[in-house]
Amino acid sequence: MKDLFKALVLTQQNGQVEHHIRQLSVDDLPEGDVLVAVNYSSLNYKDCLAVAGRGKIVKRYPMVPGVDLTGDVLSSSAPDFQPGDKVLLTGWGVGERYWGGYTQQARLRSEWLISLPEGLEELKAMAIGSAGLTAMLCVMALEDQGVTPDQGTVLVTGASGGVGGVAVALLAGVASSVAAVTGDRAHDDYLYRLGAKDIVNRSELEQIAQPLEKQRWAGAVDTVGGKVLARLLAEMKYGGTVAATGLTGGADLNTTVMPFILRAVKMVGVEVTTCPIPQRKTAWARLAKELSDDLLKQIYKVISLEEVPQVGADLLAGRVNGRVVVDLRL
């Protein structure tokens, strides 16, 4: 009898999504050229939607969710990876189109994987996860557009979430001033600990904007979209840049061209799922160096695979801030 391992499996029947902890064998896994013993995954907003059966995240069933994972190679027919190598995966449709990280073993495509960066432990990698990678790509996008500390305050929306929290921490190390937007002022102490110099009520940015508002921000990382992004664009300083990467506040963007043609404002889209491997490696190398362990410990908590559905529901309800790591060894 083949060795069994546990996985969180989503199924759909009569339009209803159900989740179960199941015992699987290697024969149950999909095709791939690298077999990995998964040690850690993480709980992202997209994962929560998938487990709850919301948002049409999952494209086919049955599905093992989990868009991130890290672990040890057990076997490989790919020349770039050998048994014993530690590998890292984020994105590529894993947990949506392809089986993901909520399993103790995963068979994966080698082109999705990178070697765990030097100096980065597996737990820290998953405390960072797709959310942290997205945050770093946003910071890099602002830098590429010439946003510098002497230009003024950089704003982060959705700051109590995974992407926003890491973005605040990263920007606090490279910007002169970081302002954090939150809809729950109970998170103020948490955001100040991450490095925010000022807290902005989300309700301020949800007000309908004039084509141009008072110039406030040199740069911004936006994870919300919708009305918040529209007002944010109207409040950018001359030549400022918004790195846009989320739509928790809606996919619509009702604005004008005025910020772009009268203040030379720029909006740069940041995408993490199919981000090219060289860019990923650069971002992960920076994350390993620029996010201290002490600071990161303030951002994440660790849960078991069995706890994923409940913690996911809490996250969707706004009762969880920061990052959640899933320990597959528990």
Side-chain angles (χ1 to χ4, degrees):
M1 182 176 178
K2 292 183 180 293
D3 291 339
L4 299 179
F5 52 88
K6 65 181 179 180
L8 176 63
V9 181
L10 305 181
T11 58
Q12 186 181 55
Q13 188 171 4
N14 298 323
Q16 296 297 313
V17 175
E18 298 181 350
H19 51 78
H20 309 273
I21 301 293
R22 291 185 174 172
Q23 296 292 315
L24 303 179
S25 73
V26 172
D27 290 341
D28 296 313
L29 298 176
E31 294 182 357
D33 54 354
V34 181
L35 180 65
V36 175
V38 181
N39 295 323
Y40 296 99
S41 185
S42 67
L43 185 64
N44 297 282
Y45 187 78
K46 189 180 290 186
D47 299 317
C48 300
L49 292 173
V51 174
R54 293 167 50 185
K56 298 182 179 178
I57 298 298
V58 174
K59 308 307 180 189
R60 57 188 176 190
Y61 295 90
M63 176 59 64
V64 173
V67 302
D68 300 336
L69 66 86
T70 184
D72 301 296
V73 174
L74 295 174
S75 63
S76 171
S77 59
D80 292 338
F81 300 102
Q82 303 300 321
D85 289 349
K86 290 194 176 295
V87 292
L88 170 63
L89 184 152
T90 56
W92 300 111
V94 167
E96 303 171 65
R97 292 179 173 84
Y98 313 104
W99 281 22
Y102 293 167
T103 174
Q104 291 177 316
Q105 291 189 27
R107 189 150 49 201
L108 306 160
R109 298 182 186 178
S110 56
E111 59 263 31
W112 297 337
L113 302 172
I114 65 170
S115 298
L116 192 70
E118 185 176 353
L120 184 64
E121 296 181 353
E122 290 178 276
L123 177 59
K124 182 176 179 180
M126 287 297 97
I128 295 169
S130 285
L133 178 60
T134 303
M136 176 54 81
L137 292 172
C138 288
V139 172
M140 292 165 58
L142 295 181
E143 292 172 346
D144 289 344
Q145 296 301 319
V147 177
T148 56
D150 61 303
Q151 293 173 349
T153 299
V154 176
L155 185 75
V156 178
T157 67
S160 59
V163 176
V166 179
V168 169
L170 289 169
L171 288 165
V174 298
S176 58
S177 177
V178 180
V181 179
T182 181
D184 185 353
R185 296 306 296 266
H187 294 155
D188 283 11
D189 287 345
Y190 166 74
L191 296 172
Y192 284 130
R193 290 198 305 272
L194 294 184
K197 294 294 191 296
D198 190 22
I199 309 293
V200 178
N201 284 322
R202 185 173 63 208
S203 58
E204 288 186 36
L205 289 177
E206 290 176 333
Q207 301 299 314
I208 300 300
Q210 298 296 318
L212 294 173
E213 296 281 352
K214 179 181 177 181
Q215 299 184 49
R216 302 177 69 185
W217 320 113
V221 172
D222 177 58
T223 69
V224 177
K227 293 184 293 184
V228 169
L229 177 55
R231 186 169 189 93
L232 185 53
L233 289 167
E235 293 184 353
M236 296 302 296
K237 289 185 175 182
Y238 187 93
T241 299
V242 178
T245 191
L247 44 66
T248 59
D252 292 339
L253 181 58
N254 297 313
T255 187
T256 74
V257 298
M258 298 301 186
F260 307 108
I261 65 173
L262 296 181
R263 289 183 179 165
V265 169
K266 298 177 287 292
M267 184 169 70
V268 179
V270 174
E271 191 275 340
V272 70
T273 301
T274 58
C275 172
I277 291 293
Q279 192 175 5
R280 287 173 185 262
K281 290 181 176 179
T282 298
W284 276 110
R286 287 189 59 175
L287 284 162
K289 294 178 181 178
E290 296 179 27
L291 271 181
S292 72
D293 292 344
D294 289 342
L295 188 147
L296 200 58
K297 287 176 182 177
Q298 302 179 47
I299 298 178
Y300 76 89
K301 62 182 287 188
V302 179
I303 65 171
S304 67
L305 184 63
E306 289 77 6
E307 294 176 277
V308 164
Q310 182 58 58
V311 178
D314 290 341
L315 193 151
L316 290 176
R319 294 189 291 268
V320 177
N321 62 308
R323 296 281 297 142
V324 179
V325 176
V326 182
D327 190 340
L328 274 301
R329 306 167 306 168
L330 297 177

